[in-house]
Amino acid sequence: EAGVAQSPRYKIIEKRQSVAFWCNPISGHATLYWYQQILGQGPKLLIQFQNNGVVDDSQLPKDRFSAERLKGVDSTLKIQPAKLEDSAVYLCASSLWGGGTNTEAFFGQGTRLTVV
Amino acid sequence: DAKTTQPNSMESNEEEPVHLPCNHSTISGTDYIHWYRQLPSQGPEYVIHGLTSNVNNRMASLAIAEDRKSSTLILHRATLRDAAVYYCILRGRNTGGFKTIFGAGTRLFVKA
């Protein structure tokens, strides 16, 4: 079974530039998450999708971050414009919608963003 | 969101058992207790989860206190490959699935 795919693996941009990350979840997984992980900290949830609808984006800095999940499969996370403090690893995860039965989340390897 | 508290780091000798504690005093009745671990330069990977009863799988065991306010991840024989950050997470259901909120985790060091 293929895992969660993310690209690119690494990205270096200058502050005020724009950047986009792509995620392809495991086939059939209805729930998709984007996390931001700053060095030395645990992952912080940015946004959660159920199919193509947003379930929780309470911690997404909406003035500069946006995310979409068209057709309920792939997802993109965009930062525009980037700030130095956005330097982090951006993780995508997916899980089945078990209709109430708890299931594990599967994570991609992440995209390491460096803003200079 | 319910929070978890874990020690910042722990150390173990290779081949010995490791008990990683987690406190979650504000857990709700529907929250599942999940453990994930993160190896260097990798995304987190699932280890084990439970609701009320103790659980065993090929990777580890999970012991859950009767009042569910704490739990312990048990690695029966630590190996060097078990050196990672271990996250105890309460996975609560929201309208669109299960919300997974991470804390700071416990960094496990394994000595040869």
Side-chain angles (χ1 to χ4, degrees):
Chain A
E1 178 183 78
V4 175
Q6 289 189 248
S7 67
R9 283 298 311 278
Y10 305 93
K11 190 75 177 178
I12 301 174
I13 62 172
E14 294 182 349
K15 59 184 179 184
R16 292 187 287 274
Q17 284 187 324
S18 302
V19 65
F21 312 124
W22 174 80
C23 173
N24 185 19
I26 293 173
S27 177
H29 281 197
T31 308
L32 185 146
Y33 312 84
W34 281 102
Y35 289 86
Q36 178 194 59
Q37 186 171 26
I38 293 172
L39 188 63
Q41 299 181 15
K44 170 187 163 185
L45 179 66
L46 292 176
I47 190 167
Q48 178 183 343
F49 290 95
Q50 177 70 6
N51 295 310
N52 60 351
V54 175
V55 173
D56 183 352
D57 62 357
S58 57
Q59 298 208 81
L60 187 73
K62 298 180 187 63
D63 58 335
R64 298 184 300 105
F65 286 64
S66 64
E68 60 182 9
R69 191 183 182 196
L70 300 175
K71 302 180 182 178
V73 182
D74 293 6
S75 177
T76 55
L77 176 69
K78 296 180 182 177
I79 308 174
Q80 181 179 10
K83 292 185 176 181
L84 295 176
E85 59 259 36
D86 298 332
S87 294
V89 175
Y90 291 84
L91 294 161
C92 179
S94 68
S95 66
L96 285 167
W97 168 233
T101 301
N102 186 238
T103 59
E104 68 193 86
F106 294 82
F107 285 80
Q109 288 196 297
T111 296
R112 182 177 296 277
L113 173 68
T114 302
V115 182
V116 296
Chain B
D1 296 320
K3 297 289 190 287
T4 61
T5 304
Q6 299 176 254
N8 288 335
S9 65
M10 291 186 65
E11 199 172 83
S12 171
N13 294 316
E14 201 176 12
E15 305 285 311
E16 291 186 354
V18 182
H19 291 233
L20 297 166
C22 181
N23 288 319
H24 28 79
S25 58
T26 59
I27 190 171
S28 74
T30 55
D31 285 341
Y32 285 79
I33 301 160
H34 277 237
W35 284 81
Y36 286 75
R37 72 178 186 181
Q38 189 171 22
L39 302 169
S41 301
Q42 301 284 327
E45 66 171 344
Y46 168 82
V47 177
I48 199 167
H49 79 276
L51 184 61
T52 57
S53 303
N54 295 343
V55 184
N56 299 296
N57 66 20
R58 62 175 179 80
M59 288 181 72
S61 296
L62 176 60
I64 301 173
E66 197 170 332
D67 63 6
R68 302 208 327 127
K69 293 185 177 181
S70 65
S71 61
T72 302
L73 178 71
I74 302 164
L75 306 179
H76 296 287
R77 288 179 64 206
T79 70
L80 296 177
R81 288 175 295 180
D82 292 323
V85 178
Y86 287 79
Y87 295 99
C88 168
I89 298 153
L90 299 183
R91 203 149 183 251
R93 186 175 168 186
N94 57 16
T95 55
F98 285 87
K99 193 169 186 176
T100 305
I101 305 295
F102 286 78
T106 296
R107 182 173 296 276
L108 176 65
F109 297 94
V110 180
K111 296 185 295 183

